[in-house]
Amino acid sequence: MLALGIDFGTSGARAIALSEDRQVVAQGECAYSQQTPQIWQESLFSLLQQLPLDCRQQIDRIAINGTSGTVLLCDRAGQAIADPLMYNDDRGKSILPQVREVTPSHHSVNSATSSFAKLFWYDRHLQLLAPPYYFLHQADWLGFLLHGELGVSDYHNALKLGYDVQHLCYPDWLSLWVDGKANRIILPEVSAPGEAIAPVLPKLCAEYGFPTGCLVCAGTTDSIAAFMASGASHVGDGVTSLGSTLVLKLLSDTAVDDARYGIYSHRFGDRWLVGGASNTGGAVLRHFFSDRELDNLSRHIDPQQESPLDYYPLLGRGDRFPINDPNLEPRLEPRPEHPADFLHGLLESIARIESIGYQRLWELGASPLLQLYSAGGGAKNNQWTKIRQRHLSVPFRSPLHPQAAYGSACLALSSL
Ligand SMILES: Nc1ncnc2c1ncn2[C@@H]1O[C@H](COP(=O)(O)OP(=O)(O)O)[C@@H](O)[C@H]1O
Ligand SMILES: O=C(CO)[C@H](O)C(O)COP(=O)(O)O
C-alpha cells in the first residue's frame, strides 16, 4: 500500500510516493516557467509517468496540493474557458469597492488577490454565454483530471473564496451573490482535506497501472502541505515556506483574520493555522541570481553581521502580507557594488519581513511562536538560516521533510 502526494508549486511540480511508515519510495519532478492548464495537465501526467510501474501499481490514495488562490473557470466538460488567475494576481483591485459591497468588513476575501475577488472579476469581465461555469481552484481541477468529478474542493483551498471553515458551509452573503447570478456560476462542493472523493478514472488506471480501488482524496494548499511535511504538530509550532514566495504558518489555539494585514486562519483539525503569504521571497532572489550564484555568494556573507540595507524585495508593485497593499512599491535601492552585499541585504530584508509577520500574528492574538521549521528552496541556505535566527529568537527545528509533496502524501495516507 502506497500513498502519492503531488505538489503544484510556483516554479514546478513534484510527486512523492510514501509507504505506510512514511518512507519515500519514489519521486518525480518537473519544472515549468509558465502556468497554463495545459502545462499543469502535461506536468501531472509527466509526474505519474516518472514513477516506476511497480510503484504505481501499489498506490491506493492520491492527494494534490496547488498554490492557494490560483483559480480557473471551466465549462461543464471541465475545459478552462479563460486564463487561470494566479495566487498573486491582483487585478481584483479594480473591483475591490464592489467586492466590499457584498462581503463583511475586514473579511479576508476583501483583498485584491482573494479567490472571491477573482471570481467577481471573471463575472464582470468575461462574457459568460453558455452557462453554467464551474469555479475551481488549481488543486480541484488537477484532482478532476484524475477522478472526473467536476466541482469538488477542500476547505483549505476554499478559504480564500469565502467558505466558512468554522461552520463548514458557504456563508449567506456568498450564497446570495451566487444566487443573484441565476445559476451561471457553480461553486465547488467542499470536503475535508484528505477525504476520499472518487476512484481514479478507469482509463487512467489502465494507462498508468493504478489499482482499480485507488482513490483520489480532497487536497490542500502548497504551504499547508509544507506544514504537514515538516512534522510540526504542537501549538506554537511555526513553518516558514521560503519558496518563490514567503509564507508563514503558525499552529494556534485561536483564529486570527484581518484583511488589513493579509492574515487569515485555515482550519486544522481542532486548531488553526494562522498566517499569511508575501510576494517577497525566492522569486526575487531568482530574478537577480541563479541558484548556483545564490549558493556561492551566500558563502561570502557573515550572517552575524546585520546588513544595513533596508529593502522591501518585490518583483513588481504590491504585497499581500504583512502589508496588504496592491500598490506597495518595491524597495531595492541602494544597490551595493559587490553582489554578495546586495544578496546579504535581500536576505536580511526578507528575514525582517518574516519577523514582522510573526510579530503581527502574535499582536493580533495568535498563540505565541515557540519553535520554527523551514521549508522550500531557501531553507537549505545556512547563512540565511543564521540571519533569520538573529531576527526570531526561537529554536529552529529540522523538518521531517522539506517538500510539500511529502505533506500531501501524508494527507493521502491519513485517509486510510
Ligand atoms: N541557496 C539558496 N538560497 C536562497 N534561496 C534559494 C537557494 N536556492 C534556491 N532558492 C530559491 O528557492 C526558490 C524555489 O524554491 P521552491 O520551494 O522550489 O519554490 P516554489 O515551489 O515556491 O516554486 C527559488 O525561487 C530560489 O530563488
Ligand atoms: O504564495 C503562495 C504561492 O506559493 C501560496 O499559495 C499562498 O498564497 C499561501 O496560501 P495558503 O496560506 O492559503 O496556503
Side-chain angles (χ1 to χ4, degrees):
M1 206 304 303
L2 300 176
L4 179 63
I6 301 178
D7 161 44
F8 272 75
T10 301
S11 53
R14 302 148 196 102
I16 289 184
L18 279 192
S19 60
E20 272 177 288
D21 58 353
R22 299 189 174 203
Q23 298 303 311
V24 176
V25 174
Q27 44 193 320
E29 123 174 70
C30 47
Y32 38 69
S33 52
Q34 251 193 312
Q35 301 235 22
T36 64
Q38 195 189 337
I39 289 171
W40 296 342
Q41 181 163 0
E42 287 163 8
S43 304
L44 175 66
F45 292 119
S46 151
L47 291 174
L48 299 182
Q49 201 66 60
Q50 287 175 44
L51 304 171
L53 178 62
D54 68 325
C55 164
R56 295 194 302 248
Q57 286 169 334
Q58 296 175 66
I59 292 174
D60 276 338
R61 294 286 186 280
I62 302 177
I64 304 179
N65 69 262
T67 46
S68 174
T70 298
V71 299
L72 68 171
L73 206 57
C74 297
D75 63 17
R76 58 180 97 206
Q79 293 290 330
I81 60 139
D83 288 342
L85 300 182
M86 294 301 297
Y87 62 90
N88 57 352
D89 190 308
D90 67 358
R91 69 188 71 194
K93 69 184 170 196
S94 62
I95 39 89
L96 255 191
Q98 293 92 312
V99 166
R100 291 195 173 122
E101 280 169 22
V102 292
T103 58
S105 55
H106 293 315
H107 195 290
S108 57
V109 296
N110 286 337
S111 168
T113 54
S114 78
S115 307
F116 180 68
K118 289 168 184 148
L119 172 60
F120 202 101
W121 187 91
Y122 272 142
D123 180 57
R124 278 288 163 103
H125 292 88
L126 298 182
Q127 282 210 307
L128 302 179
L129 294 175
Y133 294 99
Y134 288 80
F135 183 75
L136 297 177
H137 308 92
Q138 180 188 35
D140 311 340
W141 187 74
L142 289 161
F144 156 76
L145 294 182
L146 297 185
H147 57 54
E149 302 277 332
L150 194 57
V152 188
S153 189
D154 64 87
Y155 61 63
H156 287 161
N157 275 293
L159 178 77
K160 291 174 183 171
L161 176 56
Y163 187 75
D164 180 344
V165 295
Q166 176 122 37
H167 301 100
L168 297 179
C169 58
Y170 282 112
D172 289 346
W173 64 262
L174 183 48
S175 306
L176 273 172
W177 185 83
V178 173
D179 288 349
K181 304 289 148 199
N183 298 325
R184 267 188 298 151
I185 292 164
I186 299 183
L187 298 185
E189 281 178 32
V190 180
S191 300
E195 197 176 316
I197 301 295
V200 173
L201 289 165
K203 66 170 189 223
L204 296 180
C205 289
E207 190 175 343
Y208 291 94
F210 295 118
T212 44
C214 176
L215 290 171
V216 185
C217 306
T220 183
T221 69
D222 54 347
S223 40
I224 297 183
F227 186 93
M228 291 177 184
S230 72
S233 58
H234 299 103
V235 169
D237 284 355
V239 176
T240 298
S241 291
L242 298 162
S244 302
T245 58
L246 170 77
V247 188
L248 274 51
K249 291 258 170 286
L250 171 64
L251 192 58
S252 170
D253 280 323
T254 42
V256 179
D257 289 278
D258 199 323
R260 287 175 301 166
Y261 308 106
I263 293 172
Y264 47 82
S265 296
H266 282 287
R267 184 182 179 127
F268 199 72
D270 52 2
R271 299 217 161 84
W272 299 98
L273 268 183
V274 181
S278 168
N279 293 343
T280 195
V284 185
L285 303 178
R286 191 165 268 175
H287 177 76
F288 293 106
F289 306 105
S290 67
D291 286 2
R292 203 190 166 127
E293 286 169 328
L294 284 175
D295 223 30
N296 291 335
L297 289 171
S298 294
R299 292 177 212 278
H300 293 93
I301 292 174
D302 174 4
Q304 303 311 335
Q305 198 68 41
E306 176 158 9
S307 167
L309 296 164
D310 180 24
Y311 298 144
Y312 202 105
L314 296 172
L315 285 181
R317 198 190 274 181
D319 199 11
R320 301 175 281 161
F321 164 84
I323 301 174
N324 189 8
D325 176 1
N327 296 313
L328 188 75
E329 292 288 348
R331 201 166 61 239
L332 289 159
E333 298 287 337
R335 180 138 176 201
E337 201 179 314
H338 199 287
D341 293 335
F342 181 46
L343 178 60
H344 192 172
L346 291 170
L347 299 179
E348 189 88 46
S349 301
I350 298 173
R352 286 190 197 107
I353 294 168
E354 179 188 17
S355 164
I356 291 167
Y358 281 113
Q359 174 73 20
R360 188 73 79 214
L361 302 186
W362 179 75
E363 285 164 4
L364 292 173
S367 299
L369 175 69
L370 298 177
Q371 55 178 3
L372 190 64
Y373 297 80
S374 308
K380 59 178 186 278
N381 185 323
N382 294 329
Q383 280 80 3
W384 201 5
T385 302
K386 289 186 184 132
I387 292 173
R388 295 168 54 226
Q389 280 168 333
R390 262 198 286 107
H391 288 272
L392 294 157
S393 42
V394 292
F396 276 43
R397 305 281 179 222
S398 299
L400 213 55
H401 199 285
Q403 299 263 4
Y406 185 94
S408 279
C410 293
L411 181 66
L413 269 184
S414 72
S415 81
L416 279 168

